[in-house]
Amino acid sequence: MASIPAQAPHAQRKSDRTRQAVLDAAARLFARRGYAGTNLSDVAAEAGIKTGSLYYHFDAKDELVYEVLRFGIAHSFEHARAAVDALGPHASAGPQLRAAIEAHLASLHDLGDYALAGLRIVEQAPQPIRRNQYANQRRYGEYWQTLLERAQSEGILSAGVDLLALRLFLFDAMNGTVTWPASAQRSSSELADQLMRLVTRA
Amino acid sequence: MASIPAQAPHAQRKSDRTRQAVLDAAARLFARRGYAGTNLSDVAAEAGIKTGSLYYHFDAKDELVYEVLRFGIAHSFEHARAAVDALGPHASAGPQLRAAIEAHLASLHDLGDYALAGLRIVEQAPQPIRRNQYANQRRYGEYWQTLLERAQSEGILSAGVDLLALRLFLFDAMNGTVTWPASAQRSSSELADQLMRLVTRA
DNA sequence: GTCTATATAGAGATAGAC
DNA sequence: GTCTATCTCTATATAGAC
């Protein structure tokens, strides 16, 4: 699965390129084998270096998982907010919600293994990292909650809908797309259409 | 988190009770720490025995994860099908779909850590076990697909809906409820109402 | 920056006493 | 059925040469 650089593209000293290769390998293996199941020898081998050399770039295994998790959610949050903001300050809640949904779906696709890892191994990460990740998720969730509240006040959701439940359903539905079988792959735009059809009143 | 017996209640020889305690502990730890992150000493300690004694009940760690995964999906499938069948052979698709949704949600609640483990560690399990679990998931998915096809042919879904996408969205939305925060807990019946509101046409 | 070599700890699994 | 004791392997992390 493809993945995107966690660093700005201009940061391409040799050290940065290796560091990036290590992170990409870690994301891929964390997603498939879990946190404890991923060993650093395999990460190093996939990044084209030896195990001992990892420690020039990272102090410990914890740091790898921290970077992978943090980057994933930051990327999604930034993209969703940017897509909403791009509609301008006077956009109504329907288009904003659709933009956020499509951007979140697209960000998951961009993230590749970083998204998979982020969704699968949070609970397995060491406690301080897990806590930090939960805090980031909470902030992102609150952002979505405001989008949904505005949608409801503008009357585009069905009456009597449970907003908190709706947000959690929507999030799991969106995030689940990263594990859909190949036969079910659809563009972010198509998926956003389908989700808007479910979430908003006909 | 509570969990339910993986064996019939009448099977309560001492050996069976210990075996059950081991499986419950394994489910709890697999769900929190992943497959590789769960060590057998901790499983044994939580079941009230020493590590070596585990091997009287199970040949290897693989066998533990196999039992935990297999039991979870079997339980959900049985409950969903039983709830649909209980409506009788002439029930229409709307009530059938609602019964399946509520039964699936209730089964997840019953399963407790078995459900969490089943959702989180499939990818981390050894290949033969993973393959078997995917096959079971596929069969269960096909069952849901037929329910949704009947619902569509009876006209209770919105027009132009993508049935495969709908099933996958619905599944992830239902399964995600097991990780909802305490503040968002709702009964299976309430959750089923909300999901039916999203899935069916107003 | 990356290598080889190694210290140290912890894992799964087995053997045999009770 | 459960225990203690132990084998063997593999993991993270460190040290120092290049």
Coordinates of all heavy atoms in Angstrom, one line a residue, chain B residues 38-122:
Chain B
T38 N 0.2 -10.1 23.8 CA -0.4 -10.8 24.9 C 0.6 -12.0 25.2 O 0.8 -12.8 24.4 CB -1.7 -11.4 24.5 OG1 -2.6 -10.3 24.3 CG2 -2.3 -12.3 25.6
N39 N 1.1 -12.0 26.4 CA 1.9 -13.2 26.8 C 1.2 -14.1 27.7 O 0.3 -13.8 28.4 CB 3.3 -12.7 27.4 CG 3.1 -11.9 28.6 OD1 2.2 -12.0 29.3 ND2 4.0 -11.0 28.7
L40 N 1.6 -15.4 27.5 CA 0.8 -16.5 28.2 C 0.9 -16.5 29.7 O 0.1 -17.0 30.4 CB 1.3 -17.8 27.6 CG 1.0 -17.9 26.1 CD1 1.4 -19.3 25.5 CD2 -0.5 -17.7 25.7
S41 N 2.0 -15.9 30.2 CA 2.1 -15.8 31.6 C 1.0 -14.9 32.2 O 0.4 -15.2 33.2 CB 3.4 -15.1 32.1 OG 4.4 -15.3 31.1
D42 N 0.7 -13.8 31.5 CA -0.4 -12.9 32.0 C -1.8 -13.6 31.8 O -2.6 -13.5 32.7 CB -0.4 -11.6 31.2 CG 0.8 -10.7 31.6 OD1 1.4 -11.0 32.6 OD2 1.2 -9.8 30.8
V43 N -1.9 -14.3 30.7 CA -3.2 -15.0 30.5 C -3.4 -16.0 31.7 O -4.4 -16.1 32.3 CB -3.2 -15.8 29.2 CG1 -4.4 -16.7 29.1 CG2 -3.2 -14.8 28.0
A44 N -2.3 -16.8 31.9 CA -2.4 -17.8 33.0 C -2.7 -17.1 34.3 O -3.6 -17.6 35.1 CB -1.1 -18.6 33.1
A45 N -2.0 -16.1 34.6 CA -2.2 -15.4 35.9 C -3.6 -14.9 36.1 O -4.2 -15.1 37.2 CB -1.2 -14.2 36.0
E46 N -4.2 -14.4 35.0 CA -5.5 -13.9 35.1 C -6.5 -15.0 35.2 O -7.6 -14.8 35.7 CB -5.8 -13.0 33.9 CG -6.5 -11.7 34.2 CD -6.6 -10.8 33.0 OE1 -5.7 -10.0 32.8 OE2 -7.6 -10.8 32.3
A47 N -6.1 -16.2 34.8 CA -7.0 -17.3 34.9 C -6.8 -18.1 36.2 O -7.4 -19.1 36.5 CB -6.9 -18.2 33.7
G48 N -5.8 -17.6 37.0 CA -5.6 -18.2 38.3 C -4.7 -19.4 38.3 O -4.7 -20.2 39.2
I49 N -3.9 -19.6 37.2 CA -3.0 -20.8 37.2 C -1.6 -20.3 36.8 O -1.4 -19.1 36.5 CB -3.5 -21.9 36.2 CG1 -3.6 -21.3 34.8 CG2 -4.8 -22.5 36.6 CD1 -4.1 -22.3 33.7
K50 N -0.7 -21.2 36.7 CA 0.7 -20.9 36.3 C 0.9 -21.2 34.8 O 0.1 -21.9 34.2 CB 1.7 -21.7 37.1 CG 1.6 -21.5 38.6 CD 2.1 -20.1 39.0 CE 2.0 -19.9 40.5 NZ 2.4 -18.5 40.9
T51 N 1.9 -20.6 34.3 CA 2.1 -20.6 32.8 C 2.1 -22.0 32.3 O 1.4 -22.3 31.3 CB 3.3 -19.9 32.4 OG1 3.4 -18.6 33.1 CG2 3.4 -19.7 30.9
G52 N 2.9 -22.9 32.9 CA 3.0 -24.2 32.4 C 1.7 -25.0 32.3 O 1.5 -25.9 31.5
S53 N 0.8 -24.6 33.2 CA -0.5 -25.4 33.3 C -1.4 -25.1 32.1 O -2.3 -25.8 31.8 CB -1.2 -25.0 34.6 OG -0.4 -25.0 35.7
L54 N -1.1 -24.0 31.4 CA -1.9 -23.7 30.2 C -1.9 -24.8 29.2 O -2.9 -25.1 28.6 CB -1.3 -22.4 29.5 CG -1.7 -21.1 30.0 CD1 -1.0 -20.0 29.2 CD2 -3.2 -20.8 30.0
Y55 N -0.8 -25.5 29.1 CA -0.6 -26.5 28.1 C -1.3 -27.8 28.4 O -1.3 -28.7 27.5 CB 0.9 -26.7 27.9 CG 1.5 -25.5 27.2 CD1 2.0 -24.4 28.0 CD2 1.6 -25.3 25.9 CE1 2.5 -23.3 27.5 CE2 2.2 -24.2 25.3 CZ 2.6 -23.2 26.1 OH 3.2 -22.0 25.6
Y56 N -1.9 -27.9 29.5 CA -2.8 -29.0 29.7 C -4.1 -28.7 28.9 O -4.8 -29.7 28.4 CB -3.2 -29.2 31.2 CG -4.2 -30.3 31.4 CD1 -3.9 -31.6 31.4 CD2 -5.5 -29.9 31.7 CE1 -4.8 -32.6 31.6 CE2 -6.5 -30.9 31.9 CZ -6.1 -32.2 31.8 OH -7.1 -33.2 32.0
H57 N -4.5 -27.5 28.8 CA -5.8 -27.1 28.1 C -5.6 -26.8 26.7 O -6.6 -27.0 25.9 CB -6.4 -25.9 28.9 CG -6.6 -26.2 30.3 ND1 -7.8 -26.9 30.8 CD2 -5.9 -25.9 31.4 CE1 -7.7 -26.9 32.1 NE2 -6.6 -26.4 32.5
F58 N -4.5 -26.2 26.3 CA -4.3 -25.8 24.9 C -2.9 -26.2 24.5 O -1.9 -26.1 25.3 CB -4.4 -24.3 24.8 CG -5.8 -23.8 25.1 CD1 -6.1 -23.4 26.4 CD2 -6.8 -23.8 24.2 CE1 -7.4 -22.9 26.8 CE2 -8.1 -23.3 24.5 CZ -8.4 -22.9 25.8
D59 N -2.7 -26.6 23.2 CA -1.4 -27.0 22.7 C -0.5 -25.8 22.5 O 0.7 -26.0 22.5 CB -1.6 -27.8 21.4 CG -2.2 -29.2 21.7 OD1 -2.1 -29.6 22.8 OD2 -2.7 -29.8 20.7
A60 N -1.1 -24.7 22.1 CA -0.2 -23.6 21.7 C -1.0 -22.3 21.8 O -2.3 -22.3 21.9 CB 0.3 -23.8 20.3
K61 N -0.4 -21.2 21.7 CA -1.0 -19.8 21.7 C -2.0 -19.7 20.5 O -3.0 -19.1 20.7 CB 0.1 -18.8 21.6 CG -0.4 -17.4 21.9 CD 0.8 -16.4 21.7 CE 0.4 -15.0 22.0 NZ 1.5 -14.0 21.9
D62 N -1.6 -20.3 19.4 CA -2.5 -20.3 18.2 C -3.9 -20.7 18.5 O -4.9 -20.2 18.1 CB -2.0 -21.2 17.1 CG -0.6 -20.8 16.6 OD1 0.0 -20.0 17.2 OD2 -0.2 -21.4 15.6
E63 N -3.9 -21.8 19.3 CA -5.2 -22.4 19.6 C -6.1 -21.5 20.4 O -7.3 -21.4 20.2 CB -5.0 -23.7 20.4 CG -6.0 -24.8 20.1 CD -5.7 -26.0 20.9 OE1 -4.5 -26.6 20.7 OE2 -6.5 -26.5 21.7
L64 N -5.5 -20.7 21.3 CA -6.3 -19.7 22.0 C -6.9 -18.7 21.1 O -8.1 -18.4 21.2 CB -5.4 -19.0 23.0 CG -5.0 -19.7 24.3 CD1 -4.1 -18.8 25.1 CD2 -6.3 -19.8 25.1
V65 N -6.1 -18.1 20.2 CA -6.7 -17.1 19.4 C -7.7 -17.7 18.4 O -8.7 -17.0 18.1 CB -5.6 -16.3 18.6 CG1 -5.0 -17.1 17.5 CG2 -6.0 -14.9 18.2
Y66 N -7.5 -18.9 18.0 CA -8.4 -19.5 17.1 C -9.8 -19.6 17.8 O -10.8 -19.3 17.2 CB -7.9 -20.9 16.7 CG -9.0 -21.7 16.0 CD1 -9.2 -21.5 14.6 CD2 -9.7 -22.7 16.6 CE1 -10.2 -22.2 13.9 CE2 -10.7 -23.4 15.9 CZ -10.9 -23.2 14.6 OH -11.9 -23.9 13.9
E67 N -9.8 -20.1 19.0 CA -11.1 -20.3 19.7 C -11.8 -18.9 20.0 O -13.0 -18.8 19.8 CB -10.8 -20.9 21.1 CG -10.4 -22.4 21.0 CD -11.5 -23.3 20.5 OE1 -12.7 -22.9 20.6 OE2 -11.2 -24.4 20.1
V68 N -11.0 -17.9 20.4 CA -11.6 -16.6 20.6 C -12.2 -16.0 19.4 O -13.4 -15.6 19.4 CB -10.5 -15.7 21.2 CG1 -11.0 -14.2 21.2 CG2 -10.1 -16.1 22.6
L69 N -11.5 -16.1 18.3 CA -12.0 -15.5 17.0 C -13.3 -16.3 16.5 O -14.3 -15.7 16.1 CB -10.9 -15.5 16.0 CG -9.7 -14.6 16.2 CD1 -8.8 -14.6 15.1 CD2 -10.2 -13.1 16.5
R70 N -13.1 -17.6 16.5 CA -14.2 -18.4 15.9 C -15.5 -18.3 16.7 O -16.5 -18.1 16.2 CB -13.7 -19.9 16.0 CG -14.7 -20.9 15.3 CD -14.5 -22.3 15.9 NE -14.6 -22.3 17.4 CZ -15.8 -22.2 18.0 NH1 -16.9 -22.1 17.4 NH2 -15.8 -22.2 19.3
F71 N -15.3 -18.3 18.0 CA -16.5 -18.2 18.8 C -17.3 -16.9 18.6 O -18.5 -16.8 18.5 CB -16.1 -18.3 20.3 CG -17.3 -18.2 21.2 CD1 -18.3 -19.1 21.2 CD2 -17.5 -17.1 22.0 CE1 -19.5 -19.0 22.0 CE2 -18.6 -16.9 22.8 CZ -19.6 -17.9 22.8
G72 N -16.5 -15.8 18.5 CA -17.2 -14.5 18.3 C -18.1 -14.4 17.1 O -19.3 -14.1 17.2
I73 N -17.6 -14.8 16.0 CA -18.4 -14.6 14.8 C -19.5 -15.6 14.7 O -20.6 -15.3 14.3 CB -17.5 -14.6 13.5 CG1 -18.4 -14.2 12.3 CG2 -16.9 -15.9 13.3 CD1 -17.6 -13.5 11.2
A74 N -19.2 -16.8 15.2 CA -20.3 -17.8 15.2 C -21.5 -17.4 16.1 O -22.6 -17.5 15.7 CB -19.7 -19.1 15.8
H75 N -21.1 -16.8 17.2 CA -22.2 -16.3 18.1 C -23.0 -15.2 17.4 O -24.3 -15.2 17.5 CB -21.5 -15.7 19.4 CG -22.5 -15.2 20.4 ND1 -23.2 -16.0 21.2 CD2 -22.9 -13.9 20.7 CE1 -24.0 -15.3 22.0 NE2 -23.8 -14.0 21.7
S76 N -22.4 -14.2 16.8 CA -23.1 -13.2 16.1 C -24.0 -13.7 15.0 O -25.2 -13.4 14.8 CB -22.2 -12.1 15.5 OG -21.6 -11.4 16.6
F77 N -23.4 -14.6 14.2 CA -24.2 -15.2 13.1 C -25.4 -15.9 13.6 O -26.5 -15.7 13.1 CB -23.2 -16.1 12.3 CG -23.7 -16.4 10.8 CD1 -22.8 -17.0 9.9 CD2 -25.0 -16.1 10.4 CE1 -23.2 -17.2 8.6 CE2 -25.4 -16.3 9.1 CZ -24.5 -16.9 8.2
E78 N -25.2 -16.7 14.5 CA -26.4 -17.5 15.1 C -27.5 -16.6 15.6 O -28.6 -16.9 15.3 CB -25.9 -18.4 16.2 CG -25.1 -19.6 15.7 CD -24.3 -20.3 16.9 OE1 -24.6 -20.0 18.0 OE2 -23.3 -21.1 16.5
H79 N -27.1 -15.6 16.3 CA -28.1 -14.7 16.9 C -28.8 -13.9 15.9 O -30.1 -13.7 15.9 CB -27.5 -13.8 18.0 CG -27.4 -14.5 19.3 ND1 -28.0 -14.1 20.4 CD2 -26.7 -15.6 19.7 CE1 -27.8 -14.9 21.4 NE2 -26.9 -15.8 21.0
A80 N -28.1 -13.4 14.9 CA -28.8 -12.6 13.8 C -29.7 -13.5 13.1 O -30.9 -13.2 12.8 CB -27.7 -12.0 12.9
R81 N -29.3 -14.7 12.7 CA -30.1 -15.6 11.9 C -31.4 -16.0 12.7 O -32.5 -16.1 12.2 CB -29.4 -16.8 11.4 CG -30.2 -17.8 10.7 CD -29.6 -18.4 9.5 NE -28.3 -19.0 9.8 CZ -27.5 -19.5 8.8 NH1 -27.8 -19.4 7.6 NH2 -26.3 -20.0 9.2
A82 N -31.1 -16.3 14.0 CA -32.2 -16.7 14.9 C -33.3 -15.6 15.0 O -34.5 -15.9 14.9 CB -31.7 -17.1 16.2
A83 N -32.8 -14.4 15.1 CA -33.8 -13.3 15.2 C -34.6 -13.1 14.0 O -35.8 -12.8 14.0 CB -33.0 -12.0 15.6
V84 N -34.0 -13.3 12.8 CA -34.7 -13.1 11.5 C -35.7 -14.3 11.4 O -36.8 -14.1 11.1 CB -33.7 -13.1 10.3 CG1 -34.5 -13.2 9.0 CG2 -32.8 -11.9 10.4
D85 N -35.2 -15.5 11.7 CA -36.1 -16.7 11.6 C -37.3 -16.6 12.5 O -38.4 -17.1 12.2 CB -35.3 -18.0 11.8 CG -34.2 -18.2 10.7 OD1 -34.3 -17.6 9.7 OD2 -33.4 -19.1 10.9
A86 N -37.1 -16.0 13.6 CA -38.2 -15.9 14.6 C -39.3 -15.1 14.1 O -40.5 -15.2 14.6 CB -37.6 -15.3 15.9
L87 N -39.1 -14.3 13.1 CA -40.2 -13.5 12.5 C -41.1 -14.4 11.6 O -42.2 -13.9 11.1 CB -39.7 -12.3 11.7 CG -38.9 -11.3 12.5 CD1 -38.3 -10.2 11.6 CD2 -39.7 -10.7 13.6
G88 N -40.7 -15.6 11.3 CA -41.5 -16.5 10.4 C -41.1 -16.3 9.0 O -40.5 -15.3 8.6
P89 N -41.5 -17.3 8.2 CA -41.1 -17.3 6.8 C -41.8 -16.3 5.9 O -41.3 -16.0 4.8 CB -41.6 -18.7 6.3 CG -42.7 -19.1 7.3 CD -42.4 -18.4 8.6
H90 N -42.8 -15.6 6.4 CA -43.5 -14.6 5.6 C -43.3 -13.2 5.9 O -44.0 -12.3 5.5 CB -45.0 -14.9 5.6 CG -45.4 -16.3 5.2 ND1 -45.0 -16.9 4.0 CD2 -46.0 -17.3 5.8 CE1 -45.3 -18.1 3.9 NE2 -46.0 -18.4 5.0
A91 N -42.3 -13.0 6.8 CA -42.0 -11.6 7.3 C -41.5 -10.8 6.1 O -40.8 -11.3 5.2 CB -41.0 -11.7 8.4
S92 N -41.8 -9.5 6.1 CA -41.2 -8.7 5.1 C -39.8 -8.2 5.4 O -39.4 -8.3 6.6 CB -42.2 -7.5 4.7 OG -42.4 -6.8 5.9
A93 N -39.1 -7.6 4.5 CA -37.7 -7.4 4.6 C -37.4 -6.3 5.6 O -36.3 -6.3 6.3 CB -37.1 -7.0 3.2
G94 N -38.3 -5.3 5.8 CA -38.0 -4.3 6.8 C -37.8 -4.8 8.2 O -36.7 -4.6 8.8
P95 N -38.8 -5.5 8.7 CA -38.7 -6.1 10.0 C -37.5 -7.0 10.1 O -36.9 -7.1 11.2 CB -40.0 -6.8 10.3 CG -41.0 -6.0 9.4 CD -40.2 -5.6 8.2
Q96 N -37.3 -7.8 9.1 CA -36.1 -8.7 9.1 C -34.8 -8.0 9.3 O -34.0 -8.4 10.1 CB -36.1 -9.6 7.8 CG -37.2 -10.6 7.8 CD -37.0 -11.6 6.6 OE1 -36.4 -11.2 5.5 NE2 -37.4 -12.8 6.7
L97 N -34.7 -6.9 8.5 CA -33.4 -6.1 8.6 C -33.3 -5.5 10.0 O -32.2 -5.6 10.6 CB -33.4 -5.0 7.5 CG -32.2 -4.2 7.4 CD1 -31.0 -5.1 7.1 CD2 -32.3 -3.1 6.3
R98 N -34.4 -5.0 10.5 CA -34.3 -4.4 11.8 C -33.9 -5.5 12.9 O -33.1 -5.3 13.8 CB -35.5 -3.7 12.2 CG -35.4 -3.1 13.6 CD -36.4 -2.1 14.0 NE -36.1 -1.4 15.3 CZ -35.6 -1.9 16.4 NH1 -35.3 -3.2 16.5 NH2 -35.4 -1.1 17.4
A99 N -34.5 -6.6 12.8 CA -34.2 -7.7 13.7 C -32.7 -8.1 13.6 O -32.1 -8.4 14.6 CB -35.1 -8.9 13.4
A100 N -32.2 -8.2 12.4 CA -30.8 -8.6 12.2 C -29.9 -7.6 12.8 O -28.9 -7.9 13.5 CB -30.5 -8.8 10.8
I101 N -30.2 -6.3 12.6 CA -29.4 -5.2 13.2 C -29.4 -5.3 14.7 O -28.3 -5.3 15.3 CB -29.8 -3.9 12.6 CG1 -29.5 -3.7 11.1 CG2 -29.2 -2.7 13.4 CD1 -30.1 -2.4 10.5
E102 N -30.6 -5.4 15.2 CA -30.6 -5.3 16.7 C -29.9 -6.6 17.3 O -29.2 -6.5 18.3 CB -32.1 -5.3 17.2 CG -32.1 -5.2 18.7 CD -33.4 -4.9 19.3 OE1 -34.3 -4.4 18.6 OE2 -33.6 -5.0 20.6
A103 N -30.1 -7.7 16.6 CA -29.5 -9.0 17.2 C -28.0 -8.9 17.0 O -27.3 -9.3 17.9 CB -30.1 -10.2 16.4
H104 N -27.5 -8.4 15.9 CA -26.1 -8.3 15.8 C -25.5 -7.3 16.9 O -24.5 -7.7 17.5 CB -25.7 -7.8 14.4 CG -24.2 -7.7 14.2 ND1 -23.4 -8.8 13.9 CD2 -23.3 -6.6 14.2 CE1 -22.2 -8.4 13.8 NE2 -22.1 -7.1 13.9
L105 N -26.1 -6.2 17.1 CA -25.7 -5.3 18.1 C -25.7 -5.9 19.5 O -24.7 -5.8 20.3 CB -26.5 -4.0 18.1 CG -26.4 -3.1 16.9 CD1 -27.5 -2.1 16.8 CD2 -25.0 -2.4 16.9
A106 N -26.8 -6.6 19.8 CA -26.9 -7.3 21.1 C -25.8 -8.4 21.2 O -25.3 -8.6 22.3 CB -28.3 -7.9 21.2
S107 N -25.5 -9.1 20.1 CA -24.5 -10.1 20.2 C -23.2 -9.5 20.5 O -22.4 -10.1 21.3 CB -24.5 -10.9 18.9 OG -23.7 -10.3 17.9
L108 N -22.9 -8.4 20.0 CA -21.6 -7.7 20.2 C -21.5 -7.4 21.7 O -20.4 -7.5 22.4 CB -21.4 -6.4 19.4 CG -21.3 -6.6 17.9 CD1 -21.3 -5.2 17.3 CD2 -20.1 -7.4 17.5
H109 N -22.6 -6.9 22.3 CA -22.6 -6.6 23.7 C -22.4 -7.8 24.5 O -21.6 -7.8 25.5 CB -23.9 -5.9 24.0 CG -24.0 -5.4 25.4 ND1 -24.7 -6.1 26.4 CD2 -23.5 -4.3 26.0 CE1 -24.6 -5.4 27.5 NE2 -23.9 -4.3 27.3
D110 N -23.1 -8.9 24.2 CA -22.9 -10.2 24.9 C -21.5 -10.6 24.9 O -21.0 -11.1 25.9 CB -23.8 -11.3 24.3 CG -25.3 -11.0 24.4 OD1 -25.7 -10.2 25.2 OD2 -26.0 -11.7 23.7
L111 N -20.9 -10.5 23.7 CA -19.6 -11.1 23.5 C -18.5 -10.3 24.3 O -17.4 -10.9 24.6 CB -19.2 -11.0 22.0 CG -19.9 -12.1 21.1 CD1 -19.7 -11.8 19.7 CD2 -19.3 -13.5 21.4
G112 N -18.7 -9.1 24.5 CA -17.7 -8.3 25.3 C -16.3 -8.4 24.7 O -16.1 -8.0 23.5
D113 N -15.4 -8.9 25.4 CA -14.0 -8.9 25.0 C -13.8 -9.8 23.8 O -12.9 -9.6 23.0 CB -13.1 -9.4 26.1 CG -13.0 -8.4 27.2 OD1 -13.0 -7.2 27.0 OD2 -13.1 -8.8 28.4
Y114 N -14.6 -10.8 23.6 CA -14.5 -11.7 22.4 C -14.8 -10.9 21.2 O -14.2 -11.1 20.2 CB -15.5 -12.8 22.5 CG -15.1 -13.9 23.6 CD1 -15.4 -13.7 24.9 CD2 -14.5 -15.1 23.2 CE1 -15.0 -14.7 25.9 CE2 -14.1 -16.0 24.1 CZ -14.4 -15.8 25.4 OH -14.0 -16.8 26.4
A115 N -15.8 -10.0 21.3 CA -16.1 -9.1 20.1 C -14.9 -8.2 19.8 O -14.5 -8.0 18.7 CB -17.4 -8.4 20.3
L116 N -14.4 -7.5 20.9 CA -13.3 -6.6 20.7 C -12.1 -7.3 20.1 O -11.5 -6.8 19.1 CB -12.9 -6.0 22.0 CG -13.7 -4.8 22.5 CD1 -13.4 -4.5 24.0 CD2 -13.3 -3.6 21.7
A117 N -11.8 -8.4 20.6 CA -10.6 -9.2 20.1 C -10.9 -9.6 18.6 O -10.0 -9.4 17.8 CB -10.4 -10.4 21.0
G118 N -12.1 -10.0 18.4 CA -12.4 -10.5 17.0 C -12.2 -9.3 16.0 O -11.8 -9.5 14.9
L119 N -12.6 -8.1 16.4 CA -12.5 -7.0 15.5 C -11.1 -6.5 15.4 O -10.7 -5.9 14.4 CB -13.4 -5.9 16.0 CG -14.9 -6.3 15.9 CD1 -15.8 -5.2 16.6 CD2 -15.4 -6.4 14.5
R120 N -10.3 -6.6 16.4 CA -9.0 -5.9 16.4 C -7.8 -6.8 16.0 O -6.8 -6.2 15.6 CB -8.7 -5.4 17.8 CG -9.5 -4.2 18.2 CD -9.2 -3.7 19.6 NE -10.0 -2.6 20.0 CZ -10.1 -2.1 21.2 NH1 -9.4 -2.7 22.2 NH2 -10.8 -1.1 21.5
I121 N -7.8 -8.1 16.2 CA -6.6 -8.8 16.0 C -6.6 -9.9 14.9 O -5.7 -10.6 14.7 CB -6.1 -9.6 17.3 CG1 -7.2 -10.6 17.7 CG2 -5.9 -8.6 18.4 CD1 -6.6 -11.6 18.7
V122 N -7.7 -9.8 14.1 CA -7.7 -10.8 13.0 C -6.5 -10.7 12.1 O -5.8 -11.8 11.8 CB -8.9 -10.5 12.0 CG1 -9.2 -11.7 11.2 CG2 -10.1 -10.1 12.8

